Amino acid sequence: MSEEGDLRFGPIGGKALHVCVDLQRLFAEETDWKTPWAERVLPNARRIVEAHPERTLFTRFVPARHPGEGQGTWRRYYERWSSMTLDELGEDMVELVPSLAAFVPPALVFDKAVYSPWMEPAFDEMLRSQGTDTLIVTGGETDVCVLGTVLGGVDRGYRMILVTDALCSSSDDAHDAQIEVYRRRYGQQVETIATENLLKQWT
């Protein structure tokens, strides 16, 4: 079913949670990690948050404090991206973009040090404790942190719904290719939809 139509597996139940991935200042403002699409998709993500603030969870990617910190390849990563460490950026750049931060609370925030929030057992424990069975995913990047979020949810049996016009990447080609992978290779676990139709179907 195309993203313009109904969701393949029926209505969204009352146990759905909107996971808005890493729409933070360090990706939206003038940094070495700026994601140009973020500004374009932010209004759609915000509409979903505004409709369901109490059913929204924001993840935040928290970089290493110093260049060269981290285990294994993450050490090399922060040598390459020394400009994006907390000492260089300032901790305030980890904050959500202001138009989303205004919804916390009732929306929740979960911090992570790597692409996938599932590396922290507390993430799944929190969702299970709320009875969550469906994750509606927005944010960035489609082919990096969103990918880590989606695959972890698939592995744990959650219904995954991706809002395609509320996702962003710094690479157009990678974004388009990843959306096709989600649609073609994860047909039983991942559904795609546009913001307008999601808002009509998540009541």
Side-chain angles (χ1 to χ4, degrees):
M1 192 81 57
S2 74
E3 67 183 59
E4 286 74 29
D6 293 334
L7 289 164
R8 183 184 301 113
F9 298 115
I12 300 171
K15 297 180 180 179
L17 182 74
H18 172 211
V19 178
C20 186
V21 179
D22 302 359
L23 286 181
Q24 300 162 251
R25 292 183 59 196
L26 75 166
F27 299 115
E29 298 183 18
E30 294 297 331
T31 72
D32 287 341
W33 285 353
K34 181 177 180 179
T35 304
W37 281 24
E39 184 177 357
R40 188 165 69 185
V41 305
L42 182 57
N44 288 334
R46 189 183 188 281
R47 289 178 65 197
I48 298 168
V49 176
E50 190 171 27
H52 299 276
E54 73 291 343
R55 297 300 299 167
T56 292
L57 183 150
F58 296 105
T59 63
R60 300 192 310 181
F61 183 83
V62 181
R65 182 161 297 281
H66 311 290
E69 274 189 0
Q71 183 175 358
T73 58
W74 285 102
R75 180 181 300 275
R76 182 173 65 231
Y77 183 85
Y78 284 113
E79 290 171 351
R80 165 63 181 87
W81 295 109
S82 60
S83 64
M84 298 304 296
T85 57
L86 293 179
D87 281 351
E88 293 293 324
L89 274 178
E91 295 193 16
D92 57 332
M93 292 298 285
V94 173
E95 299 295 334
L96 300 170
V97 296
S99 63
L100 298 181
F103 291 98
V104 180
L108 302 175
V109 174
F110 189 89
D111 289 344
K112 58 194 175 72
V114 294
Y115 300 146
S116 171
W118 306 99
M119 292 299 291
E120 297 287 344
F123 187 70
D124 193 33
E125 292 167 3
M126 177 172 57
L127 301 189
R128 299 290 183 190
S129 71
Q130 297 177 358
T132 304
D133 61 9
T134 299
L135 301 181
I136 298 165
V137 181
T138 64
E141 292 186 55
T142 313
D143 46 329
V144 186
C145 290
V146 168
L147 175 61
T149 302
V150 171
L151 292 185
V154 166
D155 285 343
R156 289 162 178 81
Y158 290 94
R159 180 185 184 185
M160 304 300 297
I161 299 174
L162 305 189
V163 188
T164 53
D165 58 352
L167 297 173
C168 61
S169 173
S170 55
S171 168
D172 290 3
D173 290 343
H175 169 88
D176 293 344
Q178 191 59 54
I179 292 295
E180 283 304 300
V181 169
Y182 290 139
R183 288 173 174 158
R184 293 175 182 270
R185 300 292 288 167
Y186 297 95
Q188 293 302 307
Q189 289 112 349
V190 177
E191 298 160 87
T192 58
I193 194 169
T195 300
E196 193 66 38
N197 288 326
L198 175 83
L199 291 172
K200 291 176 182 177
Q201 295 178 52
W202 190 18
T203 58

